[in-house]
Amino acid sequence: MALARRAPRLGLALGSGSARGWAHIGVLQVLQEEGIRPDVVCGSSIGALVGAAYAAGELERFGEWVLGLGMRDVFGFMDFNLAGGMLKGEKLIAFWRRNFADFTIEDSPLPFGAVATDLHSGAEVWLREGSIADAVRASIALPGLFTPVVREGGRLLVDGGLVNPVPASLARAMGADIVIGVDLNADILHRHMHPLAVVRAPDADAPEDGVAPPEPEPARNGDWMRRLKFWADGKAPAPRQPSMLDVMMTSVNIMQMRITRSRMAGDPPEVVVAPRLAHLGQLDFHRAKEAIEEGRRAAHASLPQLRQFMG
């Protein structure tokens, strides 16, 4: 008896990357415009947040809200905390429940999963049931920034990007034959290769016309606390050493880039969408337009490869 050929199931693995994750919206917009609808969607950290909006059928409205975010709006979601992390995250997730998605994952219109990390054991945790808002809150709990999420039995969960920044393995476990992985960390290393300052003294290697080559422009690195101070008092901050938050965010950038390379080497997605987002910092949530446009560009570039797999 001949076996009937079935259509391959398409899975979408949306990666971690904090504010760079708004690029996922642009990627999803292009897939929708091309008539490509994944059968399952999963995400890690910010990828879980955008993926949940997509699974709930709220991508268009969510994208409109994201594009309207200014620094004041982002600051308004910050509920500062003294233990476990700088922010409690309750304002953000309460807003999410009221406006976008508040249902159980089992009832999701599109199969959905999120990745978190067990803070005690370091184990990767797949969130496939229960409140979708709670799953997102656990997946985005970046250590030092958001407080961990307490689950049943006192288990503490933190950001999924610590263990699986582009969760292709979860997409396959959910039944995907072809996985589109969106990697937000592909060019992060380029950003950290820029020196903070370059001072050139005249020397024999100077050009004959006497004009020194331009100094490299430092990347806009999401020095968020400095910009908050500028917004508050209107004074340009003086150059100084990186803040504790800057160091922490930069360290997370490097860590996630290295982990992404390792995990994707062992279980590579069939198609990788890699927006170039090194110019955006971890907390540049108010720069959604730039991220979405770059997501769209990267998605268009990946379409020929995707069509080969989809037949």
Side-chain angles (χ1 to χ4, degrees):
M1 182 178 67
L3 296 177
R5 184 186 179 192
R6 67 173 178 84
R9 285 172 57 82
L10 181 62
L12 193 60
L14 303 181
S16 62
S18 201
R20 297 189 296 273
W22 296 152
H24 290 314
I25 297 173
V27 173
L28 291 166
Q29 287 174 347
V30 170
L31 294 180
Q32 284 188 339
E33 291 163 7
E34 296 293 323
I36 300 170
R37 180 170 174 79
D39 298 288
V40 300
V41 60
C42 60
S44 187
S45 193
I46 190 70
L49 180 72
V50 179
Y54 179 68
E58 293 282 7
L59 181 68
E60 182 177 356
R61 199 161 62 87
F62 183 69
E64 291 172 356
W65 173 72
V66 164
L67 284 169
L69 283 176
M71 282 191 67
R72 287 178 182 268
D73 302 300
V74 176
F75 188 71
F77 283 110
M78 294 185 176
D79 42 7
F80 291 98
N81 185 62
L82 297 178
M86 287 179 57
L87 308 174
K88 291 184 288 185
E90 292 175 2
K91 283 186 178 181
L92 174 62
I93 213 65
F95 179 86
W96 173 266
R97 291 183 193 277
R98 291 194 308 270
N99 293 277
F100 295 110
D102 187 16
F103 51 82
T104 63
I105 294 174
E106 297 91 326
D107 295 329
S108 175
L110 181 67
F112 171 80
V115 178
T117 304
D118 186 308
L119 186 60
H120 289 145
S121 68
E124 180 176 342
V125 180
W126 291 349
L127 303 171
R128 297 285 314 280
E129 57 186 23
S131 164
I132 196 169
D134 288 348
V136 168
R137 172 64 182 86
S139 190
I140 66 171
L142 188 66
L145 186 62
F146 284 109
T147 56
V149 170
V150 181
R151 301 285 280 191
E152 57 275 0
R155 195 178 200 187
L156 292 177
L157 300 184
V158 293
D159 195 291
L162 299 181
V163 290
N164 199 352
V166 183
S169 55
L170 175 54
R172 296 194 200 284
M174 294 171 64
D177 302 302
I178 297 170
V179 177
I180 303 172
V182 184
D183 178 11
L184 305 178
N185 302 308
D187 68 335
I188 291 302
L189 184 61
H190 298 165
R191 168 185 179 159
H192 301 295
M193 292 175 69
H194 288 288
L196 294 177
V198 175
V199 180
R200 291 181 60 90
D203 55 32
D205 296 329
E208 293 182 1
D209 60 6
V211 179
E215 296 178 1
E217 181 182 354
R220 290 177 287 181
N221 62 2
D223 189 352
W224 227 74
M225 298 305 290
R226 296 181 71 202
R227 282 184 279 127
L228 280 179
K229 185 176 185 303
F230 174 74
W231 167 72
D233 59 23
K235 297 178 181 178
R240 57 168 181 76
Q241 291 293 320
S243 69
M244 179 181 70
L245 184 61
D246 296 330
V247 172
M248 182 179 71
M249 293 293 100
T250 298
S251 300
V252 169
N253 273 341
I254 296 170
M255 175 194 68
Q256 290 194 345
M257 180 267 293
R258 296 295 185 186
I259 296 172
T260 301
R261 289 184 178 182
S262 176
R263 291 298 300 258
M264 290 178 64
D267 187 7
E270 280 67 32
V271 179
V272 177
V273 181
R276 299 178 61 84
L277 299 163
H279 61 291
L280 293 182
Q282 289 267 40
L283 300 179
D284 285 343
F285 291 101
H286 60 292
R287 296 171 65 184
K289 184 178 180 181
E290 298 171 59
I292 292 173
E293 288 177 352
E294 176 55 22
R296 291 183 60 87
R297 184 207 64 77
H300 278 296
S302 71
L303 285 176
Q305 183 185 10
L306 178 59
R307 291 192 180 106
Q308 286 181 351
F309 282 103
M310 298 300 292

